[in-house]
Amino acid sequence: MASIFFKDTYIIVPAEPTWTGRFPLAEWDQVGTITHVPTVYFYDKPSESFQGDVVETLKNSLSRALFYFYPMAGRLRWLPRGRFELDCNAAGATFIEAESEAVLTDFNDYSPTPEFEKLMPQVNYKNPIETIPLVLAQLTKFKCGGLSLGVNLSHAVVDGLSALHFLSEWGRIARSEAIETVPFLDRKILWAGEPLPPFASPPRFDHKEFEQPPLLLGEKDNVEERKKKTTVAMLKLSKSQLEKLKSIVNTSKYADPARGFTRYETVTGHVWRCACKARGHSPEQPTAIGICVDIRNRMQPPLPRGYFGNATLDVVAASTSGELISNELGFAAEKISKAIKNVTNEYVMIGIEYLKNQDDLKKFQDLHALGSTEGPFYGNPNLGLVSWLTLPMYGLDFGWGKEVYMGPGTHDFDGDSLLLTDQNEDGSVILATCLQVAHMEAFKKHFYEDI
């Protein structure tokens, strides 16, 4: 792979003065993934109709975007008991300008590889959290005139929908258009920094996501599993393959005839079964799958349009490998569907109350899992599968046209998976999955042969 030359690094601050001060974060901001989530966009060479300077366009529009989304120009700050808050201090975002001898065709099908890392702005979590930008962007110019924009956004401040809201408005500003949706920034609507109102009746607690996920039978911890070498694959399901899977689950005895299983429930059930087979579990091996659920429209009343923050929570479906494999696909899909249906307004409130009452939140934060044996780990015998199926991911145009490819950056935790729509083919989906090297080929075999 051609080397990359880092030409310059800029600190981009809001274009105008913004509110400054300490900003309480909601409980869902402070648990799960609090590190940065990388995405990368590739663009063909800007056409002659684009008259501006690419670097200046991106820098100036980012500065304007940070005026509207001023929390993104701040920094996190640790508080006692594993909590943190947002210091809205206008410290700014990092913008890196780089050049590469590579050409776009070197990236083949754009599958995430270690080379992708060079296109992503790197975050050093050994630095104090108070010094780490919440937004880092890297523009890389290729020899052919093509471009890539790698973006790393802090998941402690935004979930996927809010991240894409920020990026789409950045693009809109770059095209000299007015922003479409003003962000709703007040997290007190999710009781950030405030006590919850009393429950009408004693709540029933059933939040498996706060428990440690199952270990391999015979093991006292997951230290050895965390050490094992992993690999990433991008696996496509065509529209006809997807329809075949949906037909299998929706004609099973587990299907709800009034509703049917969704695309996500169907594919996630299939992935869960295939992973159990590929990993060679014994039938009695407990296994769990982490599922990310958007709560914006599940709250009563629903969260305001443009709510900017984390409004997703992880729920867990659990079974044994033997049950999943010996039963038809509908069994796995039903487990996942029930876990999602459990997420009601009361369920969310109970979860918030539980977290508010915890002495320390560190055990729920992925930051402490990096290179260590602490923090949540959804590798063997478990999985985590996040859906990007309904996110407005594609079409980020800064004035020189829409991207030719957009996808996740590298992820190297065993069991870490994403489901996204295919940019180039209507009706098909792509599974981006990270598994142990020892399991990947068997997983691919089952993933396609079991359809």
Side-chain angles (χ1 to χ4, degrees), residues 8 10 30 38 110 142 259 287 299 322-324 374 429 438:
D8 223 329
Y10 309 89
Q30 301 181 66
Y110 297 105
F142 298 107
R259 173 183 172 270
T287 175
M299 300 299 291
E323 279 185 322
L324 292 169
E374 294 181 57
V429 298

Side-chain angles (χ1 to χ4, degrees), residues 109 111-112 233-238 242 263 267 385-386 388-389 394 405-406 408 417-425 427-433 447-448:
D109 59 355
S111 291
M234 302 284 278
L235 305 177
K236 178 177 171 177
L237 283 174
S238 67
L242 197 53
R263 195 171 41 161
V267 177
L385 209 166
V386 175
W388 285 8
L389 292 173
Y394 302 121
Y405 173 82
M406 177 273 181
S417 303
L418 273 175
L419 199 58
L420 47 157
T421 53
D422 187 342
Q423 191 168 3
N424 302 312
E425 192 174 314
S428 61
V429 298
I430 292 169
L431 173 75
T433 187
F447 187 71
Y448 289 112

Side-chain angles (χ1 to χ4, degrees), residues 48-127:
E48 290 180 7
S49 63
F50 176 73
Q51 296 294 312
D53 177 277
V54 168
V55 173
E56 289 306 310
T57 297
L58 287 172
K59 285 166 53 185
N60 292 336
S61 54
L62 177 56
S63 178
R64 293 295 309 160
L66 290 173
F67 169 70
Y68 295 103
F69 295 84
Y70 63 82
M72 300 300 279
R75 297 290 183 269
L76 295 177
R77 181 174 171 273
W78 280 115
L79 297 172
R81 301 168 60 223
R83 269 95 174 150
F84 47 87
E85 63 184 358
L86 187 52
D87 186 3
C88 292
N89 57 8
T94 294
F95 184 87
I96 300 163
E97 183 184 357
E99 293 179 351
S100 171
E101 288 293 305
V103 294
L104 285 182
T105 50
D106 290 342
F107 293 94
N108 298 320
D109 59 355
Y110 297 105
S111 291
T113 66
E115 301 303 335
F116 260 45
E117 285 193 32
K118 296 175 185 172
L119 306 178
M120 300 299 311
Q122 298 302 300
V123 184
N124 185 355
Y125 294 105
K126 292 190 169 74
N127 290 334

Side-chain angles (χ1 to χ4, degrees), residues 157-175:
V157 186
V158 289
D159 60 12
L161 195 59
S162 290
L164 289 165
H165 179 193
F166 172 73
L167 292 173
S168 67
E169 300 295 5
W170 178 12
R172 203 169 270 113
I173 292 166
R175 301 193 307 270

Side-chain angles (χ1 to χ4, degrees), residues 212-216 222 285-288 316 318-319 377-382:
Q212 287 301 313
L215 298 168
L216 281 174
N222 52 39
Q285 173 64 57
T287 175
V316 171
S319 187
F377 174 71
Y378 266 85
N380 191 21
N382 311 300

